[in-house]
Amino acid sequence: MKWLFLIYSFVYCLCKIEGAYLEGNKSLSNWDVFSRIPGKIKDGSNADVADDHYHLYLEDIELMDSLGVNSYRFSISWSRVLPRGRFGEINPVGIQFYNKLIDALLLKGITPFVTLNHYDIPQELEDRYGAWLNKQIQEDFGYFAEVCFKAFGDRVKYWTTFNEPNVMVNGGYRTGIYPPNHCSYDNCTAGDSAIEPYIAAHNVILSHATAADIYRRKYQVNQGGSIGIVLCSYWYEPYDDVPADQWAAQRALAFDLAWFLDPIIYGEYPPEMREILGLRLPTFSPEEKKKLESKLDFIGVNHYSTLYAKDCMFSPCNLGTSNGDLLAVLTGLRGGLPIGSPTAMPTFYVVPQGMEKMVMYFKERYNNTPMFITENGYAQGSSDKIPMKDLLNDTGRVDYLRSYLDSLSRAMRKGADVRGYFVWSLIDNFEWLYGYTLRFGLYYVDYSTLKRTPKLSAQWYQQFLHSPKTLKKQMPSESKLQHLPS
Ligand code: NOJ
């Protein structure tokens, strides 16, 4: 089969690769502050310098160009563009940095694919009013989005409002392992895991709606772009082939994905959640429903792995701290055996068929809304003990990418409207709680010299992109991304 218009690309969150954490008037983000709290990041590191992409972006664009990718997915740092959110001025140095980046990409024929929020916010919003727990953030996010549409929208035609808000909200307010470190357990000093995740998610959903509404009303017609949202999408298999576990797997998908997508696409939280959470789930007022009509043009799917879901609704089990409301245990192990080959990321197993199933789930549930696979990649462990030559010989990553792309092609053959695919990621970078102990890059980064060196996977991907079987096309025209029916 020839690939249809896949967009070959790489993704970054700029706070993970950008560095220059206080340069050019940037303010502290919540992650800058959080990573400084002892014990929060595995290797005690932070993203102050990271890959120094802020200074080395031209070199990185050369790498992309030499590989032959035609799009680059990156995030804009809110604290670089609006260091004090709406409480201060737009930062011209921040705007200039992204202008230079966008222009340099376009010069090479590489389409910018921009995320507005990838977990990080200016710390001031947290300190002043509690960020995602306060509805004020909806307006503030809308303001930030508009600043970006105005400054960059003449050249940026692909926008996503949020990257993985499901992860951000669960980490920040259910388990407390991400900022602002809220939960009901011993690792947090504030929070309520039974309530706050749902309030924060509600504000994220309405922030998406605010930004999408501004884009539709004021920019989309003239700028001709499209707007979507990206979710972290595990596939779930029933632990045992029994109805209770099948239902648990369905619930797990709803608690992850439909939590955000059902309101945006259908105007209501998913029935699977309402049944369990009842009044703990906020409701949408008529005005909010009106805003939600802005919907989205495409869904971004970050897919890495598959887990088992084991029911705890009908047979009690130890729920732990992360999946309490779901009433299911999510695990990669059954009878001591992993669901697929393990990788260095504890919950990421290699289960290629999960890609096809995941994409087909989105196709069925959301009426074949256009999709982009916005992330897919393989984690290598890294420490002083692992020689660089072993990290460069990343056969595990090559096998992973090949098999996941095959699986994706099966879903596309079955009619799934997939418009593009992004590998995570071009270069090794700061991996949140894992610091620099995990490497996802096609290029190895020596963090003492910042030198980038191609791994085997970079060569493989380059050949893949140039193979005659790979039909390269331009980015799909925005007009083909239709708005969803209600
Ligand atoms: C999802 C996130 O978007 C990204 O920030 C992270 O590094 C990768 N997955 C790998 O965990």
Side-chain angles (χ1 to χ4, degrees):
M1 176 218 174
K2 292 224 180 221
W3 287 98
L4 297 178
F5 36 73
L6 281 191
I7 298 150
Y8 302 106
S9 184
F10 308 98
V11 277
Y12 311 101
C13 153
L14 287 187
C15 68
K16 287 155 63 65
I17 66 159
E18 205 174 82
Y21 84 116
L22 279 182
E23 223 172 292
N25 309 327
K26 179 181 165 294
S27 66
L28 287 176
S29 75
N30 55 340
W31 272 90
D32 292 326
V33 173
F34 181 76
S35 58
R36 288 188 152 60
I37 304 173
K40 296 295 181 201
I41 308 295
K42 192 170 174 189
D43 54 2
S45 65
N46 56 47
D48 291 2
V49 178
D51 294 315
D52 200 19
H53 178 75
Y54 187 78
H55 296 110
L56 300 177
Y57 68 97
L58 288 175
E59 185 183 316
D60 291 335
I61 292 174
E62 285 302 325
L63 299 183
M64 298 173 209
D65 189 41
S66 70
L67 282 169
V69 301
N70 65 6
S71 180
Y72 172 53
R73 174 174 175 247
F74 64 90
S75 316
I76 290 183
S77 158
W78 192 339
S79 21
R80 197 176 289 291
V81 166
L82 288 171
R84 303 193 55 215
R86 256 196 315 150
F87 305 105
E89 301 298 311
I90 299 173
N91 174 22
V93 188
I95 299 283
Q96 191 194 25
F97 170 67
Y98 295 111
N99 270 333
K100 286 192 300 187
L101 173 65
I102 291 165
D103 290 347
L105 287 166
L106 291 172
L107 260 179
K108 293 282 187 189
I110 298 173
T111 301
F113 196 105
V114 175
T115 299
L116 291 170
N117 178 268
H118 193 133
Y119 306 172
D120 59 320
I121 58 171
Q123 177 65 26
E124 185 163 345
L125 307 190
E126 186 63 55
D127 297 341
R128 275 194 186 243
Y129 62 77
W132 300 110
L133 292 178
N134 190 321
K135 65 195 278 201
Q136 183 174 339
I137 200 146
Q138 298 172 25
E139 221 178 305
D140 285 10
F141 183 74
Y143 177 71
F144 167 50
E146 180 153 18
V147 166
C148 294
F149 299 148
K150 219 185 254 171
F152 313 122
D154 55 334
R155 287 149 296 147
V156 171
K157 304 302 168 194
Y158 292 90
W159 294 100
T160 61
T161 49
F162 288 90
N163 176 73
E164 298 193 347
N166 47 346
V167 170
M168 174 176 86
V169 159
N170 278 326
Y173 302 93
R174 190 189 304 281
T175 58
I177 55 173
Y178 283 4
N181 189 213
H182 276 212
C183 68
S184 307
Y185 312 106
D186 292 347
N187 56 314
C188 303
T189 50
D192 182 348
S193 302
I195 301 285
E196 286 190 351
Y198 305 108
I199 296 174
H202 200 70
N203 284 319
V204 165
I205 291 162
L206 289 166
S207 298
H208 164 90
T210 306
D213 177 55
I214 292 171
Y215 192 60
R216 298 255 187 273
R217 281 190 292 106
K218 297 172 72 175
Y219 298 92
Q220 189 162 38
V221 171
N222 290 339
Q223 298 185 344
S226 57
I227 190 158
I229 191 167
V230 173
L231 292 162
C232 170
S233 320
Y234 279 94
W235 179 248
Y236 297 104
E237 290 289 348
Y239 189 86
D240 283 319
D241 195 13
V242 294
D245 288 352
Q246 287 160 2
W247 171 226
Q250 281 303 308
R251 277 203 309 278
L253 290 165
F255 271 74
D256 249 6
L257 308 165
W259 184 11
F260 290 83
L261 289 177
D262 274 22
I264 293 172
I265 295 177
Y266 299 124
E268 294 287 357
Y269 283 111
E272 296 94 329
M273 291 183 85
R274 272 189 278 137
E275 193 178 306
I276 292 179
L277 298 169
L279 292 174
R280 276 199 282 147
L281 214 47
T283 47
F284 295 105
S285 68
E287 301 78 61
E288 290 171 342
K289 284 202 169 178
K290 184 98 202 89
K291 246 191 203 174
L292 282 169
E293 284 169 9
S294 294
K295 302 191 185 325
L296 38 66
D297 298 311
F298 62 87
I299 300 171
V301 182
N302 287 359
H303 178 73
Y304 291 84
S305 188
T306 296
L307 296 172
Y308 293 115
K310 181 167 178 38
D311 175 67
C312 301
M313 195 185 258
F314 300 104
S315 42
C317 38
N318 179 5
L319 281 164
T321 55
S322 31
N323 317 116
D325 290 334
L326 171 60
L327 301 176
V329 166
L330 306 176
T331 172
L333 296 174
R334 187 173 59 185
L337 292 179
I339 190 167
S341 303
T343 68
M345 175 69 107
T347 53
F348 286 3
Y349 298 86
V350 184
V351 189
Q353 62 276 23
M355 172 68 95
E356 178 184 350
K357 292 182 183 179
M358 186 78 258
V359 168
M360 295 309 284
Y361 173 83
F362 281 111
K363 174 176 184 285
E364 301 312 325
R365 187 156 184 144
Y366 299 113
N367 197 20
N368 213 5
T369 299
M371 278 171 265
F372 287 86
I373 306 303
T374 34
E375 285 184 31
N376 176 236
Y378 180 90
Q380 295 171 290
S382 177
S383 75
D384 295 347
K385 297 195 186 72
I386 304 177
M388 177 177 163
K389 71 170 181 23
D390 291 356
L391 292 167
L392 293 180
N393 189 27
D394 58 344
T395 50
R397 178 170 291 113
V398 171
D399 292 345
Y400 176 97
L401 294 176
R402 190 186 279 130
S403 60
Y404 272 71
L405 281 162
D406 271 354
S407 182
L408 176 60
S409 76
R410 287 194 290 276
M412 292 171 72
R413 260 185 246 133
K414 289 183 185 165
D417 189 355
V418 179
R419 305 288 176 102
Y421 169 88
F422 293 78
V423 173
W424 180 274
S425 68
L426 179 67
I427 51 181
D428 296 330
N429 57 68
F430 177 75
E431 178 57 29
W432 307 112
L433 301 183
Y434 295 90
Y436 298 100
T437 64
L438 294 182
R439 292 179 180 267
F440 277 91
L442 301 189
Y443 283 78
Y444 172 92
V445 175
D446 177 333
Y447 292 108
S448 56
T449 61
L450 295 172
K451 184 171 183 305
R452 285 87 159 121
T453 308
K455 300 180 190 173
L456 180 68
S457 56
Q459 290 166 34
W460 175 81
Y461 201 50
Q462 186 185 41
Q463 279 160 17
F464 173 76
L465 296 183
H466 289 93
S467 101
K469 269 173 78 186
T470 307
L471 179 68
K472 270 184 277 176
K473 284 210 182 159
Q474 292 304 308
M475 294 286 285
S477 91
E478 290 74 34
S479 58
K480 283 200 203 145
L481 294 173
Q482 292 146 9
H483 297 194
L484 286 170
S486 40

